[in-house]
Amino acid sequence: MAGEVRPIRINGTEVDLPIDPRVSLLDFLRETLHFHGTKKGCNQGACGACTVLVDGERILSCLALAVQYEGRDVTTIEGLCGEHGLHPLQQAFIEHDGFQCGYCTPGQLCSAVGMAAELERGVPSHVTGDLLAETMALTHDELRERMSGNLCRCGAHNGIVAAIAEIYAEAAK
Ligand code: FES
Ligand code: FES
């Protein structure tokens, strides 16, 4: 029906969008819905701490207005683990010491899941050589380039890269 406000789905549950069209998706998640796993770092698109998935694609929720995502499916870190426990990538982060303070971790995890989906769809990155290749391997350079939007002030990047490579490098070949 024209003018009808559709809800947004957060981790599989429908909720009403905010009345105020100025509210960012990040603030809506954190302040209204109390999904505090999604972190606010720079609040200007530079750190990746606020990364969430929308219909499987990674976005920076600090740069998104909640009302833009009417009817869409948003997955935050709280929705990443399944009914059987941690997502395999979460387990790999633990095993590879992929975090210290953990502030960047939810964004790193959501971003890596979105990155893997981009590889499956054949979306090239800045360092992809063959733009027409049907399959794309998650090489070391590809991984670092594709995750370069997610900063870690603790310097846990080596563990982060190792964890992501363990889960997705083989699958990307
Ligand atoms: S808080 Fe969104 S990119 Fe830093
Ligand atoms: S683990 Fe502290 S910012 Fe990454």
Side-chain angles (χ1 to χ4, degrees):
M1 179 195 300
E4 181 184 355
V5 176
R6 287 188 296 150
I8 185 172
R9 266 183 311 282
I10 312 289
N11 299 328
T13 300
E14 288 195 346
V15 299
D16 290 333
L17 283 161
I19 303 288
D20 188 339
R22 299 167 299 179
V23 175
S24 73
L25 180 59
L26 175 60
D27 284 343
F28 182 54
L29 291 170
R30 289 182 55 84
E31 309 303 329
T32 304
L33 303 178
H34 305 298
F35 283 118
H36 294 130
T38 306
K39 296 295 187 282
K40 182 183 279 188
C42 63
N43 204 28
Q44 56 180 14
C47 74
C50 65
T51 306
V52 298
L53 299 166
V54 177
D55 296 332
E57 292 186 26
R58 55 183 172 171
I59 68 157
L60 299 173
S61 60
C62 71
L63 297 184
L65 295 172
V67 293
Q68 290 177 283
Y69 294 91
E70 180 182 323
R72 308 285 294 276
D73 248 307
V74 176
T75 303
T76 70
I77 189 65
E78 290 88 347
L80 207 59
C81 55
E83 53 189 40
H84 301 300
L86 294 179
H87 186 284
L89 188 59
Q90 290 177 303
Q91 189 61 43
F93 265 58
I94 293 171
E95 290 166 9
H96 289 277
D97 283 335
F99 55 88
Q100 289 184 35
C101 76
Y103 200 83
C104 73
T105 313
Q108 302 275 6
L109 288 160
C110 288
S111 188
V113 170
M115 176 200 68
E118 287 164 15
L119 278 171
E120 273 182 27
R121 296 198 306 275
V123 178
S125 79
H126 181 64
V127 300
T128 302
D130 182 359
L131 300 183
L132 300 179
E134 289 186 7
T135 58
M136 286 178 189
L138 186 58
T139 62
H140 187 73
D141 285 349
E142 283 280 6
L143 198 166
R144 293 188 92 87
E145 166 63 22
R146 289 174 187 269
M147 292 300 296
S148 62
N150 290 83
L151 307 182
C152 175
R153 283 175 175 261
C154 293
H157 286 292
N158 286 343
I160 292 167
V161 167
I164 296 171
E166 181 192 318
I167 301 302
Y168 292 122
E170 198 56 38
K173 287 175 185 165

